[in-house]
Amino acid sequence: MLFSSYIAIGDSFTEGVGDDLPDGRVRGWADFVALGLAQASPSTVRYANLAVRGRKLGPIIQEQVEPALAQHPELVSLNGGGNDIMRPRVSIEGVAEALVAAADRVTAAGSTMLLLSGANPSRHLPMGGLIRRRGNELAVAVRAMLPRDGMVFVDNWADESLEDIRYWSEDRLHLNALGHARVASNVLTAFDVPVPAEWGVEEVAAAPRGEATRRTADYYRRFVLPWIGRRLTGRSSGDGRAAKIAELTPVDPASAHPL
């Protein structure tokens, strides 16, 4: 299934945090998906990415859904809730219902809805057991409301291979380039679109699993303490940030990234 226009909405997972480019920008799985669609399509594919890191599900829906639909894309992807389940208090049922309601809004507008879960980082994080339990509960709640017409669900949370440390960036909360490429391959496979061989997804999957790294004092200083500081002061890593690709833009299929 091919699409000539695609808009991604969400948080850091969809923005592409962890897949850092040499010039300081980020790429990510949604960019890879846009490239895969462009390489498989005989016509021009246009792409936008409205995701902003640090966003909880409510702001994602409030700030991104309508601007996306106003551009009348054929495909919209939505991931959210990851930042919600990391807060002290959260209604898992409420997050699941909000996700599916937003997805229904997209299909009602005539776009195909790609609803997808994030990869599971809990094996590598402090308090990982709590994150895994809440993530499992959210996945079960969402799956219980599917399938739905006009909606494709890609369950990256259930992809146990993605838990391998090889797929995670230094902060262990965000995927690296290998992880984002694997998520993109899961999406393209769901649409029966060929996964470009140059991404090396199959070769990485066939290689031995990586060894878990120890959480050191430097890790806590660089990543955990700043995260706690933002929570205590009500700040977000996405404060003041705008969408990296706000308007549908033609994708160059020969490019390494569509930015």
Side-chain angles (χ1 to χ4, degrees), residues 124-148:
H124 316 295
L125 293 175
M127 298 183 65
L130 174 64
I131 295 171
R132 180 179 292 271
R133 176 175 62 79
R134 287 180 170 180
N136 287 342
E137 291 174 0
L138 178 58
V140 169
V142 170
R143 292 176 197 137
M145 290 184 273
L146 302 175
R148 299 170 94 83

Side-chain angles (χ1 to χ4, degrees), residues 40-97:
S41 177
S43 57
T44 299
V45 172
R46 296 179 300 142
Y47 166 62
N49 189 318
L50 309 186
V52 177
R53 64 191 69 182
R55 290 293 194 267
K56 294 171 67 177
L57 181 58
I60 290 172
I61 294 171
Q62 295 164 13
E63 300 168 6
Q64 300 177 27
V65 171
E66 294 306 323
L69 296 181
Q71 300 184 59
H72 306 291
E74 292 184 358
L75 174 67
V76 174
S77 68
L78 168 62
N79 167 267
N83 288 306
D84 297 74
I85 67 172
M86 295 179 68
R87 297 306 196 271
R89 291 185 176 86
V90 60
S91 167
I92 299 296
E93 182 179 356
V95 171
E97 290 175 350

